[in-house]
Amino acid sequence: MTEPVSAVTVVPANEASRDDLVAIFGTADYPGRCQCQRFKVAGWIWRDSTQEERTAMLRTQTACGRPGAPTSGLVAYVDGEPAGWVAVEPRTAYPKLRGTRVPWTGRAEDKDDDGVWAVTCFAVRKGYRGRGLTYPLARATIGFARERGARALEAYPMITQPGKEITWGELHVGARQVFADAGFAEVSHPTPRRVVMRLELSTVD
């Protein structure tokens, strides 16, 4: 069994370097190809954008090396090494979510409500996967969103089953248990494998 991570520090991406983000995403597997743009590209990501465009989009969105600038997520360091990423922004910042049924099925939500933020993507660097890094990343999104005016925070994770493997590409939205551990509550179950988890920030101390 892989040893859990220790000495984790999480900072806004604008306080990280671009090289740190590149180290986390890599270039070969799903995170490196997607560049956290699945919910940013309004059309079909692989048809309606290029690798170069997605890379440039992430660079602009994160504003790495520009503390104080608006940024689109958080970066985790393990013993000083860049190891993980989580995307968290207003729900309205993700054009693709508007036409995706998971966030809206069975709920009367205003799609234009920018007071609701969303945690949409995790990326964990090779060598650090399977060590629980998404747990501190998910917890860190709470203070980050609340400090920037969020009224509520949502996520759209997968249900994982013991002994049943889920590919990394599918699990980029996170696992249900990760958000439950952070205090999120399940508010809908729109598909057999996906749930909506939500935290009302006005009730969080």
Side-chain angles (χ1 to χ4, degrees):
M1 181 176 177
T2 306
E3 187 174 335
V5 295
S6 60
V8 179
T9 302
V10 181
V11 303
N14 57 15
E15 297 178 17
S17 73
R18 176 63 190 163
D19 288 344
D20 289 348
L21 209 63
V22 170
I24 292 166
F25 277 82
T27 57
D29 59 0
Y30 186 88
R33 290 185 294 115
C34 179
Q35 294 287 299
C36 204
Q37 300 306 307
R38 177 187 173 191
F39 296 113
K40 290 287 194 177
V41 175
W44 176 242
I45 183 172
W46 309 121
R47 179 195 67 201
D48 298 324
S49 66
T50 65
Q51 180 73 58
E52 292 74 19
E53 287 171 340
R54 294 190 296 274
T55 300
M57 288 169 71
L58 182 63
R59 182 181 302 115
T60 299
Q61 292 156 11
T62 53
C64 286
R66 295 167 53 201
T71 191
S72 57
L74 301 165
V75 173
Y77 294 84
V78 175
D79 297 323
E81 287 295 315
W85 151 267
V86 63
V88 54
E89 287 187 278
R91 194 171 57 186
T92 53
Y94 300 103
K96 192 64 173 287
L97 280 183
R98 296 186 73 89
T100 301
R101 70 188 183 97
V102 168
W104 319 110
T105 300
R107 299 199 300 156
E109 284 287 303
D110 178 1
K111 294 183 180 182
D112 296 316
D113 184 355
D114 57 11
V116 179
W117 283 45
V119 182
T120 57
C121 178
F122 293 92
V124 178
R125 186 179 182 179
K126 286 184 176 181
Y128 294 91
R129 296 175 186 172
R131 299 171 64 183
L133 190 56
T134 55
Y135 285 83
L137 278 166
R139 289 192 297 269
T141 65
I142 298 170
F144 179 81
R146 182 171 51 191
E147 289 165 8
R148 287 157 180 77
R151 187 183 73 257
L153 188 57
E154 290 190 346
Y156 316 106
M158 293 193 69
I159 299 170
T160 55
Q161 302 290 343
K164 186 173 182 180
E165 185 176 352
I166 296 178
T167 67
W168 174 250
E170 286 186 293
L171 202 54
H172 72 276
V173 292
R176 176 173 59 179
Q177 183 55 42
V178 168
F179 292 99
D181 185 79
F184 289 64
E186 183 177 321
V187 294
S188 68
H189 195 153
T191 76
R193 297 198 302 163
R194 294 282 291 279
V195 293
V196 176
M197 305 289 285
R198 182 167 169 131
L199 184 65
E200 301 298 331
L201 299 181
S202 59
T203 65
V204 178
D205 293 332

